[in-house]
Amino acid sequence: MKFLNLDNNVPVIEKPYQGQMLIDGELCISQKGKVTERKSPAHDVVVGIYPDGSREDAERAVNAARKAFDNGIWSNLSGSERADVLIRVAEGIADRVEEMALIESLETGKPLTQARGEVSGCVDLWKYAAALARTLHGESYNNLGTSTLGVVMRQPIGVVAMITPWNFPIWILSQKLPFALAAGCTTVIKPSELTNGTTLILGEILQQAGVPKGVVNIVTGLGPAVGEPLVTHPHIDMVSFTGSTRVGRHIAAEAGRSLKKVSLELGGKNPQIIFPDCDWKAAVDAVVFGVYFNAGECCNGGSRILVHKDIAERFTLDVIERSKQVPVGDPLHPDVKVGAITSEAQLKVIQTAIENAKADGAYIRLGGNRLPTEKGMFIEPTVITNVKPSMSVAREEIFGPVLSVLTFDTLEEAIEIANDTSYGLSAAVWSKDIDICLQAAREINAGTVWVNNFLEGFPELPFGGFKASGIGRELGIAAVEDYTEQKTVQLHIGERTNWWLPKT
Ligand code: NAD
């Protein structure tokens, strides 16, 4: 395995980024004045200092967002006026790609090259949302007879709480925020306590782009201290959450008490199904990419492959050979593809999953260990075989660079195994036979099915999960529609027929 170090003594960042929350149009510290420090999981040095917010800060932010929604400062603007602001935000992000990518890389442990791609990709999400701000519209019904014209209007749903995780902090926020703004909503955002940096830089950009006071508020802090008060607050109309299925369930239950709308993007255990007639080289590459991209800390990661029995051993050996060559190391090294694990808690989850797989009788064919580095938390690319569908390593999300290899005989069996987990986020099928591809695409219960590809995405295409992978869709036209309420207006034309007239 290749571990790449940067052999120099240059500090990873000149000085830690000191971000501020954004409440009611002001960049501010927390009410109690407390702060937390974030260390780079690859270098073990402090890279960010952030306000440690509390319920009081959340309360202030919700009140500001409520006021800004109710006074119409944003929702009363035309779509084109809102689009202008969203475009200015996109330009603001584009101007600060390098700075944001560095913080994103240092806080998550992901390669800087990849963080650059993530931040640049956000620019396009904001531009796409700007286009939707101008094209969002309702419907009219002129087929209801001569006495009625039906108009279905779309109105912003109101104040949206957005709670985000640590694996793609700015990307996931950009799948939510610009679309809610395009619809005319106001928001309170709570980023993951591990990766506040890029969300707070975005707060500065929003200020400069002229987002009116109170329309976007950002409160940093822990889930129970800041996230929970948002979910339960009566002034919040909708909660948009991305994170673990465990916390998602809790949030949905809490939001249910006050009948708030929820949108949930949760975990996955995404299979890639490999048939003997696949494009072999492309499939091997996509398997390696699918499982090690973002060190496997990816809800969409291809953490299990189902390989036809006739090619299973040969295909697995090729995957192992390729896995040995994947460059792991310092995320700031330009050639690194797999960086550090983001937190100690996540490192333990991965190590426990590997131990459980061994105890269940699976074979660790490659890796399986934490790397003995002087600094930082790194896990070897790991391939596990002899995995049975009933084992936890085949069913539970691990969120690390760990591949489970399962085998199958027939298409029907492959689909059955693919569907045999509580998740349903994404899947891929690899074959040159169109019938196999279409049947798999139709019968796999997942929000996205790739045919002869993996992990590609477009802002135009909806993204989300079946079953325990979530509720609702982001991206696509649904992304903006999800943040609206529909209102039916019935216009009567001409004289109305009386229901009853008293006899005179
Ligand atoms: P997490 O669920 O622990 O935390 C997510 C967010 O919720 C954080 O901001 C956290 O502070 C907050 N939170 C925690 N407890 C809360 C509570 N009681 N009330 C309100 N908020 C609370 O998830 P994580 O560890 O940050 O992220 C990893 C998980 O996210 C993985 O399971 C992964 O699959 C999932 N994920 C899903 C997608 C998707 O789009 N489907 C994308 C990325 C990550």
Side-chain angles (χ1 to χ4, degrees):
M1 201 216 62
K2 291 183 182 172
F3 189 88
L4 302 179
N5 254 321
L6 274 177
D7 295 325
N8 58 34
N9 289 322
V10 180
V12 292
I13 191 165
E14 262 175 42
K15 59 179 180 50
Y17 169 60
Q18 198 145 6
Q20 291 193 297
M21 306 200 287
L22 174 61
I23 301 180
D24 206 10
E26 302 287 337
L27 296 174
C28 59
I29 60 171
S30 71
Q31 205 158 316
K32 291 184 177 152
K34 283 168 64 180
V35 293
T36 53
E37 289 182 341
R38 173 64 179 155
K39 283 188 176 171
S40 159
H43 312 95
D44 216 17
V45 297
V46 176
V47 293
I49 302 172
Y50 303 114
D52 186 10
S54 63
R55 178 176 286 276
E56 290 75 27
D57 299 297
E59 180 75 28
R60 230 156 44 86
V62 173
N63 289 337
R66 184 79 255 166
K67 200 165 105 202
F69 186 75
D70 291 346
N71 69 21
I73 194 172
W74 183 249
S75 60
N76 286 347
L77 294 185
S78 67
S80 82
E81 287 169 316
R82 287 204 286 268
D84 284 347
V85 177
L86 299 185
I87 294 285
R88 286 204 292 277
V89 176
E91 289 164 354
I93 297 172
D95 286 345
R96 294 178 74 171
V97 167
E98 277 308 307
E99 182 194 350
M100 292 175 86
L102 179 63
I103 295 284
E104 192 85 331
S105 166
L106 291 176
E107 292 194 341
T108 59
K110 71 179 67 190
L112 179 58
T113 50
Q114 186 198 311
R116 250 182 224 128
E118 185 183 327
V119 179
S120 316
C122 292
V123 175
D124 196 36
L125 292 180
W126 282 80
K127 286 184 182 165
Y128 175 58
L132 293 181
R134 300 192 68 159
T135 54
L136 177 67
H137 59 86
E139 293 161 355
S140 67
Y141 288 81
N142 196 23
N143 60 345
L144 307 172
T146 54
S147 62
T148 306
L149 176 65
V151 175
V152 182
M153 305 197 306
R154 281 198 179 268
Q155 295 186 185
I157 194 164
V159 182
V160 184
M162 297 179 177
I163 300 175
T164 55
W166 44 258
N167 56 343
F168 294 93
I170 193 68
W171 176 267
I172 287 171
L173 181 58
S174 297
Q175 286 193 170
K176 302 180 189 296
L177 180 59
F179 299 95
L181 291 176
C185 296
T186 64
T187 61
V188 181
I189 298 159
K190 193 212 90 67
S192 165
E193 56 277 15
L194 299 175
T195 53
N196 291 307
T198 47
T199 302
L200 296 185
I201 295 177
L202 182 68
E204 297 170 14
I205 294 171
L206 294 166
Q207 289 281 85
Q208 285 152 10
V211 173
K213 179 174 139 106
V215 170
V216 179
N217 304 272
I218 305 170
V219 185
T220 49
L222 296 173
V226 175
E228 191 99 19
L230 297 181
V231 174
T232 51
H233 203 292
H235 286 169
I236 295 285
D237 300 298
M238 173 175 172
V239 181
S240 174
F241 171 82
T242 298
S244 63
T245 297
R246 182 184 63 80
V247 176
R249 268 205 185 97
H250 171 72
I251 284 179
E254 285 300 319
R257 285 183 221 287
S258 50
L259 289 179
K260 289 181 176 62
K261 181 170 178 177
V262 284
S263 133
L264 304 172
E265 299 294 343
L266 308 173
K269 188 73 186 177
N270 314 299
Q272 297 209 57
I273 306 176
I274 321 286
F275 283 87
D277 68 341
C278 67
D279 177 338
W280 191 278
K281 280 190 182 155
V284 169
D285 182 70
V287 166
V288 171
F289 166 54
V291 66
Y292 304 131
F293 176 67
N294 217 50
E297 293 170 326
C298 183
C299 54
N300 243 345
S303 51
R304 53 184 179 135
I305 55 172
L306 318 183
V307 194
H308 192 279
K309 280 191 177 128
D310 290 352
I311 55 162
E313 188 55 23
R314 210 156 46 90
F315 189 85
T316 305
L317 284 174
D318 277 7
V319 167
I320 289 173
E321 273 316 301
R322 183 68 77 86
S323 301
K324 284 182 192 165
Q325 294 161 24
V326 171
V328 182
D330 188 323
L332 302 183
H333 192 296
D335 296 333
V336 158
K337 290 286 184 199
V338 178
I341 301 303
T342 305
S343 72
E344 222 164 302
Q346 189 54 36
L347 183 80
K348 285 208 181 85
V349 168
I350 300 168
Q351 288 174 316
T352 306
I354 295 170
E355 288 312 312
N356 288 345
K358 277 190 219 166
D360 285 345
Y363 306 149
I364 312 299
R365 294 277 291 273
L366 180 74
N369 300 303
R370 176 178 180 173
L371 286 163
T373 50
E374 227 173 83
K375 286 178 260 172
M377 299 173 282
F378 298 86
I379 292 259
E380 293 174 301
T382 297
V383 178
I384 305 182
T385 62
N386 200 36
V387 175
K388 304 284 174 275
S390 57
M391 293 179 185
S392 66
V393 74
R395 311 181 74 77
E396 305 298 330
E397 181 179 58
I398 298 173
F399 232 52
V402 181
L403 180 69
S404 296
V405 182
L406 295 96
T407 60
F408 68 89
D409 246 334
T410 62
L411 171 61
E412 288 67 28
E413 192 191 354
I415 291 171
E416 194 184 318
I417 299 171
N419 286 337
D420 185 23
T421 74
S422 57
Y423 296 110
L425 190 57
S426 65
V429 53
W430 290 87
S431 166
K432 294 212 176 96
D433 183 328
I434 186 74
D435 292 337
I436 286 181
C437 295
L438 286 179
Q439 192 175 337
R442 183 171 277 176
E443 294 184 19
I444 292 171
N445 297 324
T448 299
V449 180
W450 284 280
V451 174
N452 296 324
N453 204 357
F454 199 66
L455 278 188
E456 202 176 13
F458 298 89
E460 290 81 357
L461 299 180
F463 167 69
F466 284 29
K467 303 192 283 183
S469 290
I471 299 174
R473 291 291 176 272
E474 296 188 329
L475 305 182
I477 294 167
V480 71
E481 289 182 349
D482 214 29
Y483 294 106
T484 63
E485 280 282 15
Q486 294 194 63
K487 181 183 281 175
T488 297
V489 179
Q490 298 189 29
L491 304 165
H492 185 76
I493 302 163
E495 201 173 320
R496 182 176 170 276
T497 311
N498 287 316
W499 174 59
W500 174 74
L501 274 182
K503 287 194 180 108
T504 51

